[in-house]
Each structure stands twice: as C-alpha cells, then as structure tokens.
Amino acid sequence: MATTRHFLTDLDLSPAEQREVLDLALEMKAEKYGFTPYAGPQTVAVFFDKTSTRTRVSFHAGIAELGGSPLIINSGESQLGHKESIPDSAKVLERMVSTIVWRTYAQSGLEEMAANSSVPVINALSDDYHPCQLLADLLTVREHKGELAGLTMSYLGDAANNMANSYLLAGVNAGMHVRIAGPEGYLPAESIVVAAQERAALTGGSVTITTDAAAALADADVIATDTWVSMGQEEEKEARLKLFTDYAVTSAALARAKDDAIVLHCLPAYRGYEIEAAVIDGPQSVVFDEAENRVHAQKAIMAWLMAASGLAASVREAK
Ligand code: CP
Ligand code: NVA
C-alpha cells in the first residue's frame, strides 16, 4: 500500500515533484473539467481557523471542478482543537473525507493531523508557511518568465512571516536564487535558512538573507512582498507599520530590479504600506493572475497527492 502523502511545507515536494505538480496545474488550467480524481463525489473538508477570501473560494471551486464535494468549516463551527483533540479529529475525518485542508496557527497542529490521518492533509496557511500560495506564485512566474531555475526572486518586508519562509523554500526548490530582505530581528529562522541552503545545494539555487533592500532588489526578475501585519499579529499593528518602511515596494524600489521584472503579492494588499498603489496597479504587477492560479495550483496538488497516496487511480480518475 502506498504511503499517504501530505503537503505541510514547501519542501514536502522534491524538486522533481514540484515541477510535476506545476506541469499538472498548467494542464488543468488548459482543460478545466478534464480531471476528476474526487468523482463520486468524494468530500474534501476545508477548515479555517483564520479568515480567508482566496483560499476559501479557490479550494471550493477547485474541489468541485475535480468532481468532489467541498465542505467548508469555519472557526468555531466544529469541535476540532478546542473540544476534541487533533488525533481524534483526524481518525474520524479519515473515515469520511478524501482530503483534509486546514488553515490554522501552529504548524505543529498540521503535523499532528497528518501523523494521524490516512488521507492527505494540506496546509492552507499556518503561522510558518503558505505552501499552496507558493505553488500559485511559481505557476505565475512560469507563465510570465518560462523556466524558473536561474531566476532571481526577491522578497521584501516582514521576512520572518509565513510568506517569506515559503518564498525561500519553494523558490530554492525550483532552483531559483532567492533573496529575502527585512530588518534585523525579522529575518527567517536559522533552521529554515539551513533547510533552504541544503535544498539549494541540490537544485543550483541560492539563498541570500539581508537587511539591505537595495542589494536584494538589484537586477531581480521577480519582486514579492506581503502584509506587514499577519493574521494573529493585529495587536502589534501600530509598531509593525513603522518597522518595515525601508522595505516597501515603491516605484523607486522596482526601478532597481530588471526592466521586465514582475511583481507578486499574495493579497490582501495594503496600498501605501508594503506596496505602492502605482506598483500593484501598474504594468509589472501580475497579482490577479497569481490569485487565479490558486485554483489551478491547488487542484494540481490535491490530484497529485491523491494519486501519489494510492487513493485515486490517477490524477485524472477516481479509484
Ligand atoms: N492569499 C491568501 O491566502 O488570501 P486569503 O487570506 O484571502 O485566503
Ligand atoms: N502573511 C499573511 C498572509 C495572508 C494570505 C498572513 O498570514 O496573514
């Protein structure tokens, strides 16, 4: 029997597997209703402990397009986590649904769910990573730039948050040169930098962690940023809005990158803070392609995990 595969961090896919998933996402984008590994319809449970627009809608649409039935469960609507332990929840859910998708706070909760589940568990954003977003981002870069390996991707802002970690790990997994810039004290944890360096050594990518925004931007192919106040950090908002001002993606910052650089933002965006309106609404921004690609990328990872876990006959057909 195949081992169940999960997608909890960007490094849960090998470089070859990441490429396979992105190839599949492009095929699915071209043939929207041609893949039905959840035919039945089988149910996918999607839990939200934090708010969402894109993740919620893209998973719902994607699960339906794969022939399945999405069950969206918002914070406070289930027993998970407060009235019932994660292991007990996993053991109940695995008998009823084909995949578990969860947006939550602690990464350890996702790990505990996966350790107790015989169906795939997917991280729909945790405090530490947002790997589904990065599949969509890399898909968008591929569409605009072709080959990912060898490109320079620079992320500026809160460099200790989930998006910074995922840009670093997913980017080097694809063989990219990833530069992460933020102020001292808000840079990726040492363990994540080491994991990224190890993966980069396999793919030909590289890791640069810096407090120098201008150096990070020089000749970059892809510029990315994210909110300075992530979900769960609302009480620190006032202080955070002052911390990252030197790392804002302004027109002047963008001018340091290559002339044909593209700009990513996972959204929601706060114009005038992490990104200038002229940049996010300008010709180099691809943020709405990126948002649409959440659907295609997530369909691909769901179908791929089902097939790789032996739970679907193939990415196209249910068992
Ligand atoms: N980018 C993203 O995950 O958006 P939502 O918070 O709206 O899901
Ligand atoms: N870093 C942000 C991403 C939102 C999609 C957060 O965690 O709130």
Side-chain angles (χ1 to χ4, degrees):
M1 228 178 84
T3 317
T4 304
R5 295 289 303 266
H6 306 285
F7 189 51
L8 308 185
T9 91
D10 307 86
L11 295 188
D12 284 346
L13 295 176
S14 71
E17 290 170 347
Q18 185 196 57
R19 173 179 281 278
E20 230 178 273
V21 171
L22 294 176
D23 288 345
L24 179 59
L26 287 173
E27 279 181 59
M28 288 176 158
K29 189 167 182 173
E31 194 191 343
K32 201 168 174 178
Y33 302 111
F35 298 76
T36 54
Y38 289 134
Q42 300 174 44
T43 298
V44 175
V46 190
F47 290 90
F48 286 96
D49 295 344
K50 297 176 178 174
T51 53
S52 168
T53 296
R54 272 146 296 274
T55 306
R56 185 189 167 117
V57 176
S58 57
F59 268 107
H60 189 129
I63 292 160
E65 287 169 21
L66 292 177
S69 173
L71 173 61
I72 309 285
I73 303 163
N74 291 312
S75 173
E77 289 178 351
S78 77
Q79 324 288 23
L80 173 62
H82 55 116
K83 290 188 184 162
E84 192 164 24
S85 72
I86 294 171
D88 279 4
S89 302
K91 286 172 196 156
V92 171
L93 290 166
E94 68 177 9
R95 291 171 181 237
M96 300 181 179
V97 306
S98 294
T99 302
I100 299 165
V101 179
W102 191 11
R103 167 169 285 195
T104 189
Y105 292 87
Q107 185 71 13
S108 57
L110 284 155
E111 287 163 8
E112 205 177 0
M113 182 76 88
N116 288 281
S117 170
S118 58
V119 299
V121 176
I122 296 177
N123 179 357
L125 179 149
S126 67
D127 289 345
D128 294 342
Y129 307 103
H130 196 0
C132 290
Q133 179 70 54
L134 256 290
L135 287 178
D137 286 31
L138 294 184
L139 187 63
T140 309
V141 177
R142 252 179 79 165
E143 288 178 323
H144 287 271
K145 297 271 165 210
E147 187 59 35
L148 296 175
L151 293 176
T152 296
M153 181 161 72
S154 303
Y155 170 92
L156 272 73
D158 178 2
N161 77 4
N162 42 17
M163 285 303 299
N165 291 340
S166 279
Y167 274 115
L168 183 55
L169 298 179
V172 296
N173 208 23
M176 300 173 90
H177 303 294
V178 185
R179 302 178 186 158
I180 304 286
E184 206 65 68
Y186 294 88
L187 295 169
E190 183 61 21
S191 59
I192 289 171
V193 176
V194 169
Q197 285 164 337
E198 284 171 7
R199 191 57 66 97
L202 300 176
T203 62
S206 68
V207 174
T208 303
I209 309 293
T210 179
T211 56
D212 185 341
L217 289 160
D219 291 326
D221 298 289
V222 181
I223 306 296
T225 188
D226 182 23
T227 179
W228 293 339
V229 188
S230 284
M231 290 179 274
Q233 299 175 334
E234 290 78 4
E235 283 180 9
E236 300 164 36
K237 182 172 175 183
E238 215 175 311
R240 285 184 154 267
L241 293 186
K242 295 186 189 115
L243 271 170
F244 303 105
T245 48
D246 292 346
Y247 302 87
V249 178
T250 59
S251 304
L254 187 56
R256 294 183 183 275
K258 283 195 181 139
D259 291 343
D260 63 352
I262 56 171
V263 176
L264 297 173
H265 190 309
C266 68
L267 306 176
Y270 300 87
R271 288 169 175 77
Y273 292 95
E274 77 273 9
I275 195 158
E276 199 179 292
V279 173
I280 194 166
D281 299 321
Q284 287 167 268
S285 168
V286 295
V287 300
F288 297 110
D289 290 347
E290 182 187 357
E292 178 192 332
N293 280 338
R294 293 293 300 280
V295 181
H296 312 300
Q298 286 159 196
K299 283 173 71 180
I301 189 65
M302 288 188 283
W304 189 90
L305 290 171
M306 286 293 285
S309 305
L311 298 169
S314 70
V315 293
R316 267 188 196 271
E317 276 181 79
K319 236 179 173 172

